[in-house]
Amino acid sequence: MYTLPKDTNIYDIKVIKNIIDYNELNKSKYKRLYNYYIGEHEIKNRTKSGSNMLSNNKVVVNHAKYITDTNVSYLLGNPVDYQVNTKKKIEIEPLLDEYKKQTINDLDCELAKKISIYGKEFEYVYANEEAKPRSCLIDASNAVIIYDDTVEHNKIAGIIYTPVYKGDDKTNSNIEYYNCIICDKNNIAEYDTKNGSLNLKLDSKKEHSFGDVPLIEYLNNYEELGDFETVISLIDAYNILQSDRINDKEQLVSSLLILKGVTIDSIDKQNIDTYRILSGLPVDAEAGYVTKTLNETEIEVLKKSIETDIHKISMTPNMSDVNFVGNSSGVAIRYKLLSFEQNIKNKERSMEKGLMERFKLYNNFLTVKASMQKIEIHEVDAVFKRNLPSNDLEVSQMIGYLTDYVDRETLISQLSFIKDASEIVTIKQEEDEEKEKFEEKQEELNELLYAEEENKKKEKLKENKI
């Protein structure tokens, strides 16, 4: 978190330069974490000398990608559902429509992936050419949010910057200046840092209707650590172990041949290399290989120990483990995933905070531009549904028991095949209203038919009396 005194003039080149320099310190860290995610691990840079040069395998077992992808799919395999209290008649459909138009669920998944890799990520909310609110992701290496130094740490402004290089050499020493977007609670403007000053670009300063700084910071945790960052040394150890196992196997195949009591010429050597044949040896001659004894049992124990530590420390379960084999119930699986669930809960709380900021910015914009109802954030819940095998029969029975105690939308959202509980509830309410109207009309018709039948009986009695 980058903090400054509340009354700081952020439109000062010295302030902007200090902010950018502060963020640049983490650039090498972000690059390293990204490389590990895509499989560019430290083992690939390993070199060997001397006799070891014969075998230098560089095996990458990408636990980093597994950890990130497992966390993201478990957290957001099912889209986030936004719910409000239906009794208060709060309408959030206009806002959710804007989410759907830009497939916000895809953006959420990519956002969660970046948070998992880097430990943090930014979302920039802007108005497109059609004056509709939209979101895009900004890499953590190119954005900073400035907070005040009060106990509340309120946002002062957000900065998105892009380096401009002197030539094709894209290194820090070759940066000529930066292009910056600076947004505060009222305005968005573009600047550059040419000639050591902060220069406003012509006609770039505009007011916005988001009601707050339209840059959102999402944290993976308070320490801003990625999901696999703490186990990188274990991942390296696992890669080295697996690479050396293959090296040992290769060296075993190409072991040194020892001959006693015999000499060989170039033809014999060619036969050995090409055909693996050695013939015409004297009776008392001996031949054999120098080999290293491989204790595969000990190596396998070490491998499993390192792998177990990777999953334990990262709190990401090994789904191929025997503990997850069989027809376990949902509750049994959750017990096995307890530490994983605790970690995901922490991630969920951090992400929900950012999602509520996004909701607030969209709501502020649509309140001004589309006359949408103003909604207080505490009236909205972001519901995360775990991507786990679900026993919907068991859940439906639970719903039946709780019908009189819990609102309908919350209950329906528990079913795995329901994507938008609020839409289902709305449709059901409309159907119930239509059914009620039909029953009322049917009752009126029955009353009319009954009255008509009674009149006919009375007229018939009169005729009989006459």
Side-chain angles (χ1 to χ4, degrees), residues 259-263 280-287:
L259 298 172
K260 292 181 181 180
V262 65
T263 58
L281 296 178
V283 177
D284 58 346
E286 294 181 12

Side-chain angles (χ1 to χ4, degrees), residues 73-103:
S73 62
Y74 186 64
L75 177 66
L76 288 175
N78 294 310
V80 179
D81 186 25
Y82 297 89
Q83 298 179 0
V84 293
N85 191 335
T86 54
K87 293 182 180 180
K88 293 188 177 181
K89 296 183 179 180
I90 299 173
E91 294 291 336
I92 62 171
E93 291 307 316
L95 192 151
L96 296 183
D97 286 343
E98 297 302 329
Y99 280 1
K100 291 175 183 177
K101 288 175 185 177
Q102 58 181 311
T103 57

Side-chain angles (χ1 to χ4, degrees), residues 27-244:
K27 209 157 194 175
S28 59
K29 168 193 165 182
Y30 296 143
K31 183 174 178 58
R32 180 172 180 248
L33 292 172
Y34 179 73
N35 284 341
Y36 266 79
Y37 178 76
I38 63 174
E40 294 295 325
H41 295 193
E42 189 63 33
I43 187 71
K44 287 195 170 184
N45 300 321
R46 184 170 75 165
T47 57
K48 288 192 170 186
S49 59
S51 61
N52 288 330
M53 289 180 67
L54 292 172
S55 297
N56 185 19
N57 288 282
K58 302 172 183 179
V59 176
V60 172
V61 182
N62 202 344
H63 284 98
K65 188 175 189 302
Y66 175 85
I67 290 168
T68 286
D69 291 353
T70 301
N71 277 271
V72 172
S73 62
Y74 186 64
L75 177 66
L76 288 175
N78 294 310
V80 179
D81 186 25
Y82 297 89
Q83 298 179 0
V84 293
N85 191 335
T86 54
K87 293 182 180 180
K88 293 188 177 181
K89 296 183 179 180
I90 299 173
E91 294 291 336
I92 62 171
E93 291 307 316
L95 192 151
L96 296 183
D97 286 343
E98 297 302 329
Y99 280 1
K100 291 175 183 177
K101 288 175 185 177
Q102 58 181 311
T103 57
I104 204 75
N105 296 330
D106 292 342
L107 185 136
D108 285 345
C109 287
E110 187 65 21
L111 174 63
K113 185 177 81 174
K114 294 291 184 68
I115 297 169
S116 175
I117 296 171
Y118 301 128
K120 66 189 294 187
E121 183 66 349
F122 291 89
E123 176 185 347
Y124 178 52
V125 181
Y126 64 97
N128 66 4
E129 295 178 353
E130 299 174 353
K132 300 292 185 182
R134 292 292 180 264
S135 294
C136 66
L137 301 185
I138 306 294
D139 281 346
S141 57
N142 293 104
V144 184
I145 291 180
I146 307 151
Y147 300 89
D148 64 32
D149 58 357
T150 64
V151 293
E152 294 183 349
H153 293 306
N154 297 308
K155 288 184 185 179
I156 296 176
I159 298 175
I160 303 169
Y161 66 91
T162 307
V164 177
Y165 300 91
K166 295 176 184 177
D168 294 333
D169 181 18
K170 294 185 177 182
T171 58
N172 288 346
S173 59
N174 208 35
I175 294 174
E176 186 174 0
Y177 63 91
Y178 292 96
N179 285 323
C180 305
I181 296 175
I182 303 178
C183 50
D184 56 29
K185 294 183 178 181
N186 302 306
N187 302 295
I188 300 174
E190 295 181 27
Y191 296 82
D192 64 52
T193 60
K194 292 179 181 178
N195 304 318
S197 60
L198 192 63
N199 310 300
L200 176 65
K201 293 187 178 182
L202 186 65
D203 298 328
S204 69
K205 189 171 185 179
K206 298 177 182 178
E207 291 186 5
H208 64 74
S209 302
F210 295 107
D212 205 342
V213 177
L215 189 64
I216 306 168
E217 183 178 33
Y218 293 83
L219 300 180
N220 196 41
N221 45 60
Y222 187 78
E223 295 77 19
E224 299 180 12
L225 292 171
D227 285 329
F228 58 83
E229 189 171 349
T230 56
V231 295
I232 284 179
S233 61
L234 288 169
I235 293 172
D236 287 340
Y238 192 94
N239 290 339
I240 290 171
L241 181 64
Q242 293 295 78
S243 299
D244 286 345

Side-chain angles (χ1 to χ4, degrees), residues 245-246 248-249 293-302:
R245 288 178 80 174
I246 297 175
D248 290 341
K249 294 292 185 184
T293 303
L294 302 179
N295 192 330
E296 280 294 324
T297 303
E298 290 184 359
I299 295 173
E300 187 65 20
V301 169
L302 179 57

